[in-house]
Amino acid sequence: MARTLSWLLGLTLLLLAGCRTEAPSYEVVRKGGWGGTPPAPTSEVLLTLITPDGRSYDLDRAGLERLTWVRRVTRHHPREDDPPASFEGVLLAQIVDELDLDPKGLKLRFIALDDYQLERPWRDLKPLEPMLALVQNGRPLDLDDFGPVRVVLPYDRLKPDPTRYNALWVWHVRVIEFRY
C-alpha cells in the first residue's frame, strides 16, 4: 500500500511539473497605463497607432513611457552573435488592451521608416510576448541601433529555430495598424 501511494505521489508530482508554465520573458520595471485615450504628443512623434475603426494616435516617448515599462535581456536579430542586450519598452499586449481591441481576428501591420511592412495575426504574435523597445543597454535607441522603436522578442525562447522569426524583428517601426 505504501509503495503504491509513493508511486502515485511521484507520478502526480511529475505530471504537475509538466503543467508549469514558463515565467514571463521580461521583468516589470514600473506599472502604468493610459487610463483611456492615448495622450496627445508634446514632442517628436515616435509611433502612430491606427485602430480598425480608423482612429489614429500619434505617440511621443512620454506617451509610450506612461504604459507599463518592462525590461528583457536577450540576444537579438540581426546581431545574434553579440552578447545579450538589455532592452526596455512596452509590451504590445498592453497596447492592444489599452486600445480596447478585440483580440479575436485581430491582425497587426507594422510599417517601418523604410516602408518595410509586415502583417501578422495577433494570435500568432501574442504568445511570443513582443515588446516595443525604446532603450537598449540604458540608452535610447537611435537609427543606428534600429530605433527609435523596434520589436524585440525573447530570442532564446523562439522554438524550434529562432531564425524562423527574423521577419518579426521589425526595426525603425513608425506605424502599427490594427485591423480585422
Side-chain angles (χ1 to χ4, degrees):
M1 177 78 163
R3 177 179 268 165
T4 302
L5 286 176
S6 176
W7 183 84
L8 284 174
L9 178 62
L11 179 61
T12 302
L13 290 174
L14 183 63
L15 289 172
L16 287 175
C19 293
R20 285 186 307 187
T21 58
E22 213 169 3
S25 63
Y26 57 89
E27 67 176 289
V28 173
V29 175
R30 69 177 178 278
K31 295 225 177 234
W34 291 327
T37 304
T42 58
S43 62
E44 178 187 4
V45 172
L46 299 182
L47 181 66
T48 299
L49 305 174
I50 303 171
T51 63
D53 62 3
R55 292 175 292 148
S56 181
Y57 300 103
D58 290 331
L59 296 169
D60 60 6
R61 180 173 295 279
L64 288 164
E65 287 179 347
R66 283 187 48 190
L67 296 171
T68 296
W69 199 251
V70 298
R71 179 180 301 121
R72 168 179 289 148
V73 177
T74 186
R75 293 185 297 146
H76 59 98
H77 177 72
R79 297 183 177 152
E80 294 90 341
D81 293 331
D82 286 359
S86 174
F87 292 95
E88 294 182 22
V90 300
L91 293 174
L92 203 45
Q94 185 180 12
I95 291 175
V96 170
D97 291 343
E98 293 277 341
L99 293 174
D100 198 27
L101 299 175
D102 181 357
K104 189 174 184 176
L106 184 65
K107 294 179 183 176
L108 283 69
R109 180 166 45 162
F110 299 90
I111 304 171
L113 291 171
D114 64 358
D115 288 326
Y116 171 81
Q117 295 186 23
L118 174 81
E119 183 172 308
R120 288 291 189 275
W122 179 236
R123 72 174 180 274
D124 295 348
L125 292 173
K126 186 176 181 180
L128 303 175
E129 298 178 328
M131 72 181 285
L132 298 176
L134 287 89
V135 173
Q136 181 177 344
N137 295 330
R139 292 186 354 255
L141 287 167
D142 60 25
L143 291 175
D144 292 334
D145 293 320
F146 309 108
V149 179
R150 70 172 296 188
V151 176
V152 173
L153 306 169
Y155 189 87
D156 292 317
R157 289 190 182 190
L158 301 176
K159 308 292 183 204
D161 176 11
T163 62
R164 182 177 134 205
Y165 300 90
N166 284 353
L168 301 178
W169 292 77
V170 184
W171 52 76
H172 306 305
V173 179
R174 67 176 171 87
V175 175
I176 302 175
E177 184 179 328
F178 302 89
R179 55 176 143 177
Y180 294 103

